[in-house]
Amino acid sequence: KIDDWGIDDFASAMSGAGALGGFKDDEDDLCQRCREAAKGTSSQWVSFCNTLPKTTSDERSVRGSCQSINLKTSQERDNWCFAKFCD
């Protein structure tokens, strides 16, 4: 029965089904990492931006946007993080 399965069994990455909102933990981590980088130096910010994926056009756009605010204040970078990665 499906009731005997947990969400991890039924909708894990291995099952191929995928749970709705399955990236929540990754998003939370990305939010936290971004906001930590925002508090740091411009070189720490660039290092964070360079960890962002760049496979798709949308990903390259986010990465470019991240890099473009390198010299902004930590508050402006934090606001950017919140808008992009935090709920």
Side-chain angles (χ1 to χ4, degrees):
K1 288 183 352 183
I2 201 164
D3 294 351
D4 295 337
W5 298 355
I7 187 71
D8 292 331
D9 296 326
F10 179 71
S12 70
M14 298 301 287
S15 76
L20 294 177
F23 297 105
K24 184 65 177 152
D25 289 341
D26 291 341
E27 290 171 2
D28 288 346
D29 179 57
L30 193 52
C31 173
Q32 183 177 348
R33 289 190 308 116
C34 185
R35 295 186 82 190
E36 283 299 315
K39 296 177 195 173
T41 65
S42 62
S43 62
Q44 288 169 317
W45 179 255
V46 168
S47 293
F48 165 76
C49 295
N50 288 338
T51 68
L52 297 175
K54 58 180 179 177
T55 305
T56 68
S57 176
D58 286 344
E59 289 171 342
R60 287 188 296 274
S61 177
V62 169
R63 192 176 197 190
S65 174
C66 181
Q67 292 169 337
S68 75
I69 63 168
N70 174 39
L71 299 178
K72 300 287 185 180
T73 67
S74 60
Q75 183 61 56
E76 289 172 299
R77 294 190 306 231
D78 186 64
N79 291 345
W80 183 90
C81 292
F82 192 80
K84 295 292 182 186
F85 304 122
C86 310
D87 289 330

